[in-house]
Amino acid sequence: MNVGKQLGVYDAIVIGAGHNGLVTAAYLARAGLKTAVFEARSVVGGCAVTEEKWPGFKISRASYVNSLFSPQIIRDLQLEKHGFEMLPRSPSSFTPFPDGRYLLLGPNKRLCENEISKFSKRDAEAYPKYEGLLTGIAEILEPLMEMVPLNPAKIGFSDLATYGKFGLRNRSKIKKEWPHIFRLLVGSATDLLNEYFESEQLKVTLATDAIIGANASPSIPGTAYVLFHHVMGQCNGVRGVWGYMRGGMGGLSNSLALACKALGVEIYTGSPVQQILIQNGKAKGIVIQGGREYSAKVIASNADPNVTFNRLIEERELSEEFLANVRRINYDSASVKINLVLKELPKFGSSTGSVPGPEHQGTIHICPDMNYVEAAYADSVVGRPSRAPILECTIPSVVDQTLAPEGYHIMNIFSQYGPYQLRNGKTWDDERKAYGERCIEILNEYAPNVKNSIVHQEVLTPVDLEREFHLTGGNIFHGRMSLDQMFNMRPVPGFADYRTPIEGLYLCGSGTHPGGGVMGTPGLNASRAVLKDLRTF
């Protein structure tokens, strides 16, 4: 994977070897295009990556669980032949509470009923109805994820035909569910959860899906969709279930890279793209660090819109109106990722910590009630790291023993809220250590052996995520997932079809429809746009 000495000529170049970039490259190569991918980091995968931060320990350094990745891509690219393997988790979540009680949830319906009944029999009866609502709406809306959003300014016959078929096929369902669909799109997660449930324990466990990766509290309008976005996926055909990737999240990206290689894609790591070359309004190639140039008929950028248009393209190549819309994209983020190596499992309640139990299988939620979430968010609003952060912890080594030597475990902690921009003269270089220690202290209140079992620790603040993974503002979704930045508004009005004002230049990352998460769908959709245009040319 070393850059050649001579200028290379390709049909297609993809900027960034994140999972969406690799998906785009694979489909273009599958269609017969000579394709190359250029990645700034030394490994492929972007945020879906496994790295040995410490020798012998395989860490999913950024993203850490999988559910949303498109089953169609898995089939089309035969990823299972290239090592793609999801490991289901049952139970899938564990929420301990200060009074010693806990809530387990998972794909086992009887388990969910019994567990929820400990807090509210009414909620146990309502839970299947809540799941049924989300499943029903997911079945309606999921096809939209692979459809190009309508551009009201230029609706063509093919658009009318595509959406007309969708509307006719789902007419009765849309009519019946429209009030619920609309509330999901614009409402708050708190309102949705209050409509169905009364127990704080269940509501706060479910509410975490509405705020992960977003600098928003569940009471803010638009968070109901973020919650819904996170329950659309599946693990090995079971809807709404999240799983671990065998070998960490890099197992997904590595399978894509192997599929690309089998299709003839050339992947260049350690090759940061410095500029997209444009001639007479058309993309012609790229310049990588060191000055080498590579040409191609089309360029697809897996970088976020800010990086693509404000760093890789000279300002004179784009209209002021377009650049103004790009600058309006909100990258507000408050997520801090903490990676740990432990010499023993956390001991929750009566847990011994020596033998894995159900509490170690899935996501461990540390957030006792909804007021706790609101207070944590309030700190972010005033520009300080939360004094009592929300924690989502996973221990993938319990399910996948390939990640750590015997007797040791990997713990990933995804925490909220640590805002990108701190106030009162503070910087994350000042606050990083203290915030990490605060998260460990909070976890230690529920599992008192954790603090003394830590062997290695890494804290990735929003600033670190921006520096190392090239995420503007540290935003894991390439832009806020709110209605004003979704569907035909993503990334900017008039350009939700993966095309850009530059002929031959496309976007294929999470900054495009249908948004963030390890989905692969933006890459799939972008490849379709490229191939359609090439046939037209």
Side-chain angles (χ1 to χ4, degrees), residues 203-475:
K203 286 190 287 187
V204 78
T205 298
L206 299 175
T208 57
D209 278 337
I211 58 173
I212 288 301
N215 194 7
S217 81
S219 62
I220 290 179
T223 51
Y225 177 77
V226 180
L227 185 155
F228 172 70
H229 185 84
H230 280 92
V231 302
M232 280 196 295
Q234 57 180 269
C235 175
N236 298 339
V238 181
R239 183 181 291 278
V241 176
W242 289 72
Y244 298 123
M245 290 301 307
R246 173 79 73 185
M249 287 301 289
L252 184 151
S253 298
N254 290 338
S255 71
L256 283 167
L258 289 172
C260 283
K261 183 177 179 181
L263 291 165
V265 177
E266 297 178 24
I267 301 175
Y268 300 86
T269 56
S271 302
V273 174
Q274 290 189 324
Q275 184 182 358
I276 296 172
L277 297 173
I278 298 168
Q279 183 178 348
N280 299 323
K282 179 176 174 56
K284 291 293 186 180
I286 61 169
V287 180
I288 69 166
Q289 191 174 74
R292 294 192 179 112
E293 297 183 6
Y294 296 82
S295 65
K297 298 176 184 176
V298 296
I299 310 293
S301 176
N302 187 42
D304 69 42
N306 173 60
V307 171
T308 302
F309 298 115
N310 288 326
R311 298 185 193 174
L312 301 183
I313 297 175
E314 293 183 6
E315 185 175 346
R316 60 184 173 81
E317 301 290 351
L318 298 162
S319 72
E320 182 53 40
E321 179 185 5
F322 180 81
L323 287 173
N325 281 326
V326 170
R327 295 183 189 115
R328 288 190 186 102
I329 299 173
N330 188 310
Y331 293 95
D332 197 13
S333 174
S335 303
V336 179
K337 178 75 188 302
I338 302 174
N339 298 312
L340 304 176
V341 171
L342 307 177
K343 61 184 178 183
E344 63 180 352
L345 288 169
K347 299 177 181 178
F348 295 98
S350 60
S351 168
T352 65
S354 57
V355 178
E359 68 274 21
H360 301 120
Q361 301 287 325
T363 300
I364 302 162
H365 301 281
I366 305 297
C367 46
D369 56 45
M370 297 294 278
N371 286 336
Y372 182 98
V373 179
E374 294 291 340
Y377 171 66
D379 281 337
S380 179
V381 171
V382 297
R384 67 183 173 215
S386 173
R387 292 165 292 182
I390 297 154
L391 309 180
E392 276 206 0
C393 314
T394 59
I395 314 174
S397 52
V398 168
V399 178
D400 182 1
Q401 289 76 36
T402 69
L403 300 179
E406 186 176 355
Y408 293 88
H409 284 282
I410 306 299
M411 174 177 270
N412 304 127
I413 303 176
F414 197 85
S415 74
Q416 301 275 115
Y417 296 85
Y420 173 82
Q421 188 69 49
L422 302 182
R423 299 182 187 174
N424 300 323
K426 297 290 186 180
T427 70
W428 271 112
D429 290 332
D430 301 324
E431 295 292 316
R432 182 186 297 104
K433 181 178 179 182
Y435 183 86
E437 290 175 349
R438 192 151 62 247
C439 290
I440 300 305
E441 291 289 350
I442 290 170
L443 180 57
N444 213 62
E445 293 174 10
Y446 294 85
N449 68 319
V450 166
K451 186 175 181 180
N452 291 330
S453 70
I454 296 173
V455 178
H456 297 293
Q457 177 176 332
E458 176 186 39
V459 179
L460 292 169
T461 71
V463 172
D464 298 316
L465 293 171
E466 181 177 67
R467 288 172 182 164
E468 186 157 357
F469 295 95
H470 312 289
L471 301 172
T472 298
N475 190 289

Side-chain angles (χ1 to χ4, degrees), residues 10-30:
Y10 296 95
D11 296 318
I13 286 175
V14 177
I15 300 172
H19 71 282
N20 280 311
L22 293 171
V23 168
T24 302
Y27 276 96
L28 296 182
R30 188 170 175 247

